[in-house]
Amino acid sequence: MTKRPTQEEVARIAGTSTAVVSYVLNNGPRSVSEDARRRVLAAIAKTGYRPNSAARALVSGRSTVIGLVVPDLANPFLAQLTQSLERELFGRGYSLLIGDSGDEPARAATVVETLLAQQVAGLVWYSVDLPPPLDVLGGSALPVVVVNDLAGSGVTEAAPAGRLISVDAEEYRGVRLATEHLLAHGRTRIAHLGGPQGRLNSAERSRGWADAVSAAGLSPTVRMNVPFTQEAGADAAGHLLESGCDAVVTANEMQATGLLRGLHRAGVRVPEDLSVVAYNGTPAAAFAIPSLTTVELQVSALAREIADALEPDSAVTGLTAASELVRRESCGCEVPAAEADA
Amino acid sequence: MTKRPTQEEVARIAGTSTAVVSYVLNNGPRSVSEDARRRVLAAIAKTGYRPNSAARALVSGRSTVIGLVVPDLANPFLAQLTQSLERELFGRGYSLLIGDSGDEPARAATVVETLLAQQVAGLVWYSVDLPPPLDVLGGSALPVVVVNDLAGSGVTEAAPAGRLISVDAEEYRGVRLATEHLLAHGRTRIAHLGGPQGRLNSAERSRGWADAVSAAGLSPTVRMNVPFTQEAGADAAGHLLESGCDAVVTANEMQATGLLRGLHRAGVRVPEDLSVVAYNGTPAAAFAIPSLTTVELQVSALAREIADALEPDSAVTGLTAASELVRRESCGCEVPAAEADA
DNA sequence: CTGAAAGCGCTAACAG
DNA sequence: CTGTTAGCGCTTTCAG
């Protein structure tokens, strides 16, 4: 039941004042003699002292905690993003507080409020439809990263108190890329399994599909709007097949793996009878049956850039997240056996 | 750039003292007249006041943040657990700080230290091999939930300063259950795809398999120890097939879906030629091809119990997490088409 | 280069 | 029932 050592104890042992301990700890704002620094460090080691971040946050008004709000932590893509961010942030001395908005505006607002009450030093908001509740952010001048900032969301124009970093995930481009790949495979009746109706998120992705199809001189085939779940993907198989399409671009990986399952049950061969490409793939796509061709976001790189942008001295206001097409079996690409599971 | 309102402002507007505001906020420890309470509440609403949790944590020595340490956030099972815990905790006014130990002791220690520095009110530790670094916990008298406490880990006996809540996930029983189900299907050469060698985690699961096989009067077939990844599962297919087994019990779902992929490539039919059951399944198992029979932990219930146990006034010291066998296609159970994707 | 001291916003005695 | 007040541990002026 020993109390944790405080700065004062460290100072006493080091034969100095708490101010000096603080200077050593933070490398400033004043400089410290080599001798004093050594004594302080020794005292810290001896006592096992660790700064109390609550006290630090209170006095400085800034914590070392970053808040992350995602719509669904169980979604592998978002779990991966969360993991990458956690890794990156921990390496820089920050911790990650997570909030699952459940894709509901009301809950999202509560979550943001809760995170703000924790004095987070920054916020990462994965946007599905709504911009982050900037009103809740009030005057807090903290950096907010809006991943997947949506055209027309008006976020960028909102001119909030804090620094706003907009991450363009190029969803339009990503889905378009996927669609064009199917076109390159000679598919002409490309359907689209899109996300929930009315979501800017979904709309953006769907637009990529529609434009690619039009640009190829084809007329859009069927388009469905369903939740971002495996179940919805599986259920969509029937309708998609009736439409007579020869390929499907899905708005996320969960829909695609669900669809693969639905097609399998219907006895449809992929990619022979129908080819499939998913947007926002994860490494798990390599293990789908057949392995799933996806457009994959470069998550680690993005996490690093986000962490950079969150640093207090950063002046970054915008980022573009790179995606790339990962060719596997479901689109019809021949995949050498050796690379199939890579 | 407006500063956030403080308790003092609220008190001023309500025409009372900060103490009364505090009493209203915390429902105690003193009672407040109905009239004063109303005025305080009005002032809070008017100013949009939110308590500063850093200050609260500092003075009370207790925050409303719970720390969670898992070995791999990208693992769907753990992502699901994280999500459930987040949901449960948020509903009670707590936030969740996550730490990904990457299954490395060194990193785990750092993560725990970081979380403790944040003055977490409790810790949830998902144990793979090592017990949580109790030494790091020092004298902090905070509740620590060890999910999947491992027999012989010595955690329970460590008598730490805080309250220790041991969650028995019954891994032995779960894997045994899975194995017995395969036995019930008439399989006699049941192999085991286990987790990394030397992990208590893996050992416990493997023991369940070995005992079930022995109890049936059969001699254990092959057993492999590989990482908890899809890739490892896929790579194991060849060796498993050579062993001539007619069924496989895997130690987690990722290994199983990887294995399914490997078997598919090898042209092996599941469950006809080989049946498969996985431990620690998630809802995603329903969408594997074939759908995967698993032993599934009742995550939501567990999350609720963990949250209960974490409450400061709880006296719980142990929990048992219930698992159940979820029959799907991969084991050989006939699954009515209508329920196949349920 | 260093020490003393003033708070950060809040809780919880302690007096009324 | 309510106001006053003493810190919680730390950062950072402001004097030395």
Side-chain angles (χ1 to χ4, degrees), chain A residues 173-196:
Chain A
R173 188 179 150 277
V175 178
R176 179 155 186 169
L177 199 67
T179 311
E180 286 168 350
H181 183 63
L182 254 10
L183 252 8
H185 270 291
R187 302 294 169 159
T188 56
R189 299 186 307 284
I190 304 176
H192 176 52
L193 187 54

Side-chain angles (χ1 to χ4, degrees), chain B residues 128-169:
Chain B
V128 177
D129 188 34
L130 299 169
L134 293 175
D135 51 319
V136 174
L137 264 52
S140 48
L142 87 182
V144 177
V145 176
V146 181
V147 181
N148 186 22
D149 196 0
L150 302 159
S153 71
V155 173
T156 315
E157 302 82 43
R163 195 157 47 86
L164 198 60
I165 299 111
S166 171
V167 178
D168 183 356

Side-chain angles (χ1 to χ4, degrees), chain A residues 32-293:
Chain A
V32 176
S33 70
E34 209 29 70
D35 184 53
R37 153 171 279 107
R38 213 190 327 278
R39 278 173 6 238
V40 167
L41 257 19
I44 288 177
K46 182 179 174 196
T47 56
Y49 166 78
R50 308 231 88 210
N52 177 325
S53 48
R56 183 179 277 182
L58 175 59
V59 62
S60 66
R62 161 148 291 156
S63 73
T64 55
V65 177
I66 300 291
L68 169 68
V69 183
V70 293
D72 176 19
L73 245 186
N75 174 327
F77 168 73
L78 294 169
Q80 197 196 352
L81 180 63
T82 303
Q83 182 178 51
S84 295
L85 221 40
E86 192 272 352
R87 286 246 150 84
E88 194 61 39
L89 257 18
F90 249 82
R92 298 165 189 237
Y94 289 92
S95 299
L96 225 212
L97 213 43
I98 54 167
D100 190 320
S101 70
D103 200 7
E104 300 162 28
R107 208 177 130 77
T110 311
V111 166
V112 170
E113 288 209 346
T114 306
L115 296 182
L116 289 181
Q118 298 294 343
Q119 310 299 108
V120 292
L123 202 59
V124 181
W125 169 273
Y126 187 87
S127 189
V128 176
D129 188 34
L130 299 169
L134 294 174
D135 50 319
V136 174
L137 265 52
S140 49
L142 87 184
V144 177
V145 176
V146 182
V147 181
N148 187 19
D149 195 1
L150 301 159
S153 71
V155 172
T156 314
E157 301 81 44
R163 196 156 46 86
L164 198 60
I165 299 108
S166 171
V167 178
D168 182 355
E170 297 194 317
E171 305 217 311
Y172 169 85
R173 188 179 150 277
V175 178
R176 179 155 186 169
L177 199 67
T179 311
E180 286 168 350
H181 183 63
L182 254 10
L183 252 8
H185 270 291
R187 302 294 169 159
T188 56
R189 299 186 307 284
I190 304 176
H192 176 52
L193 187 54
Q197 184 97 46
R199 290 274 155 59
L200 286 173
N201 204 15
S202 309
E204 190 67 3
R205 300 180 189 183
S206 295
R207 212 162 54 78
W209 159 77
D211 283 5
V213 170
S214 301
L218 301 168
S219 51
T221 320
V222 69
R223 155 179 157 186
M224 292 180 72
N225 286 96
V226 304
F228 285 123
T229 64
Q230 290 184 294
E231 190 163 14
D235 291 346
H239 187 59
L240 250 15
L241 287 173
E242 285 168 16
S243 77
C245 61
D246 61 6
V248 181
V249 175
T250 72
N252 90 344
E253 183 177 286
M254 299 189 79
Q255 293 173 329
T257 51
L259 175 62
L260 249 27
R261 166 82 191 164
L263 294 172
H264 175 76
R265 292 184 64 80
V268 177
R269 292 171 308 157
V270 177
E272 295 83 352
D273 302 334
L274 186 68
S275 56
V276 176
V277 176
Y279 179 68
N280 261 4
T282 73
F287 298 92
I289 296 175
S291 64
L292 188 64
T293 293

Side-chain angles (χ1 to χ4, degrees), chain A residues 50 53 64 72 74 83 86 95-98 100 107 113-114 116-118 261 265 288 291 329 337 340-341, chain B residues 4 50 53 64 72 74 83 86 95-98 100 107 113-114 117-118 261 265 288 291 329 337 340-341:
Chain A
R50 308 231 88 210
S53 48
T64 55
D72 176 19
Q83 182 178 51
E86 192 272 352
S95 299
L96 225 212
L97 213 43
I98 54 167
D100 190 320
R107 208 177 130 77
E113 288 209 346
T114 306
L116 289 181
Q118 298 294 343
R261 166 82 191 164
R265 292 184 64 80
S291 64
E329 298 164 349
D341 294 330
Chain B
R4 287 182 55 183
R50 308 230 87 210
S53 47
T64 55
D72 176 17
Q83 183 179 50
E86 191 272 353
S95 299
L96 224 213
L97 212 43
I98 54 168
D100 189 320
R107 208 178 129 78
E113 289 209 346
T114 306
Q118 298 295 341
R261 164 84 190 161
R265 293 183 64 81
S291 64
E329 299 165 349
D341 294 331

